[in-house]
Amino acid sequence: MASGNPAFNEKTFQQISRSGGAAMTVTGTISKTAILLLLVILGTTFTWNLSGPLAMPLMFGGMIGGFIVSLVTIFKKEWAPVTAPIYAILQGLFLGGISAAYNAQFHGIVLQAVLLTFGVAAAILGLYQTRVIRVTQRLRSIIFAATAGIAIYYLIAMGMSFFGMQAPMIWDTGWLGIGFSVFVVILAAFNLLLDFDLIEQGVAYGAPRYMEWYCGFGIMVTLVWLYLEILRLLSKLQRR
């Protein structure tokens, strides 16, 4: 049951007791995910339309605040009905600012990225529901290992940036850099596949109702990653 998504791992449902009352459902998880998505859109719209000295602090505040709230949510799953909406709003503030910056440089790129993100998510959901791609233990292990490797590479790149150095491939507009971005987009998409599987496992496990919010939060984490990677890929193609 491993997932590359940090919100989901093999102990996600083992660490909680089965619900003695109302248990989570697929329908409930979908509705909670829709609410979180709406909050992300509202936050994004706010900073997208914001100009002046407040835009940058709100963007970075949303990024840092969203990261902190995500950690709290991961370690305190029962707080998810409160922390997940807060995370969604903060991520929206961050996405609005960074999307506006991309769009100022490459007009129309954000709409393309949004459409591609939802298109990829819908395609992965279709592949999962029809069992065209079956989530096996081997597939879980491969995606988890690849995601962990990408995360480590990004951390190294972040450390290099503090010394004025740039890691290869992340921003490289050559074919190697584009190929790297395509790989990361595919990897993020396949993490959605594992997220859907874990939600199904949670319903079968009889997890408590608050896990609907937590699973919706997990989907948001992957969708945000997928959107940012698609945005980066499109920007590389535009630069070429």
Side-chain angles (χ1 to χ4, degrees), residues 161-184:
S161 68
F162 289 124
F163 298 97
M165 297 182 290
Q166 192 176 79
M169 296 189 294
I170 293 181
W171 296 107
D172 181 16
T173 57
W175 289 115
L176 183 61
I178 291 174
F180 174 79
S181 288
V182 170
F183 169 76
V184 177

Side-chain angles (χ1 to χ4, degrees), residues 116-162:
L116 281 171
T117 299
F118 284 112
V120 170
I124 290 296
L125 179 59
L127 291 173
Y128 176 75
Q129 288 185 324
T130 57
R131 297 301 192 264
V132 172
I133 298 180
R134 296 187 177 274
V135 181
T136 63
Q137 184 57 45
R138 182 174 182 179
L139 179 63
R140 294 186 188 102
S141 301
I142 292 172
I143 295 176
F144 179 79
T147 305
I150 292 296
I152 292 171
Y153 183 74
Y154 277 177
L155 287 174
I156 293 173
M158 188 182 301
M160 291 174 63
S161 68
F162 289 124

Side-chain angles (χ1 to χ4, degrees), residues 2-240:
S3 169
N5 186 335
F8 292 141
N9 56 52
E10 69 276 5
K11 296 182 179 179
T12 296
F13 299 109
Q14 296 173 10
Q15 294 168 344
I16 60 176
S17 58
R18 285 181 170 85
S19 174
M24 70 175 289
T25 63
V26 172
T27 303
T29 304
I30 292 173
S31 65
K32 303 304 188 299
T33 304
I35 293 172
L36 296 178
L37 182 59
L38 177 61
L39 292 175
V40 170
I41 293 172
L42 290 175
T44 300
T45 303
F46 181 77
T47 46
W48 174 275
N49 295 317
L50 190 65
S51 59
L54 283 177
M56 194 66 69
L58 277 177
M59 184 184 78
F60 282 105
M63 179 181 67
I64 297 171
F67 176 72
I68 294 172
V69 173
S70 69
L71 291 179
V72 173
T73 307
I74 289 170
F75 288 104
K76 287 289 185 179
K77 298 176 180 61
E78 63 272 19
W79 293 2
V82 175
T83 57
I86 295 174
Y87 167 83
I89 294 172
L90 291 172
Q91 283 299 94
L93 295 177
F94 165 63
L95 292 178
I98 197 168
S99 297
Y102 269 102
N103 201 63
Q105 190 173 3
F106 309 105
H107 183 68
I109 192 175
V110 170
L111 179 59
Q112 297 173 30
V114 170
L115 293 176
L116 281 171
T117 299
F118 284 112
V120 170
I124 290 296
L125 179 59
L127 291 173
Y128 176 75
Q129 288 185 324
T130 57
R131 297 301 192 264
V132 172
I133 298 180
R134 296 187 177 274
V135 181
T136 63
Q137 184 57 45
R138 182 174 182 179
L139 179 63
R140 294 186 188 102
S141 301
I142 292 172
I143 295 176
F144 179 79
T147 305
I150 292 296
I152 292 171
Y153 183 74
Y154 277 177
L155 287 174
I156 293 173
M158 188 182 301
M160 291 174 63
S161 68
F162 289 124
F163 298 97
M165 297 182 290
Q166 192 176 79
M169 296 189 294
I170 293 181
W171 296 107
D172 181 16
T173 57
W175 289 115
L176 183 61
I178 291 174
F180 174 79
S181 288
V182 170
F183 169 76
V184 177
V185 166
I186 294 172
L187 183 60
F190 270 73
N191 269 274
L192 274 176
L193 189 70
L194 299 192
D195 294 344
F196 296 146
D197 182 62
L198 280 168
I199 290 170
E200 195 171 82
Q201 295 284 351
V203 172
Y205 181 79
R209 183 62 61 84
Y210 68 79
M211 288 300 291
E212 293 176 351
W213 285 103
Y214 184 80
C215 289
F217 155 76
I219 292 291
M220 286 298 104
V221 171
T222 306
L223 282 178
V224 168
W225 178 32
L226 177 62
Y227 169 73
L228 291 173
E229 294 299 341
I230 289 177
L231 202 57
R232 194 199 311 272
L233 172 60
L234 291 176
S235 71
K236 288 182 178 181
L237 294 173
Q238 292 270 11
R239 288 190 181 98
R240 286 189 65 85

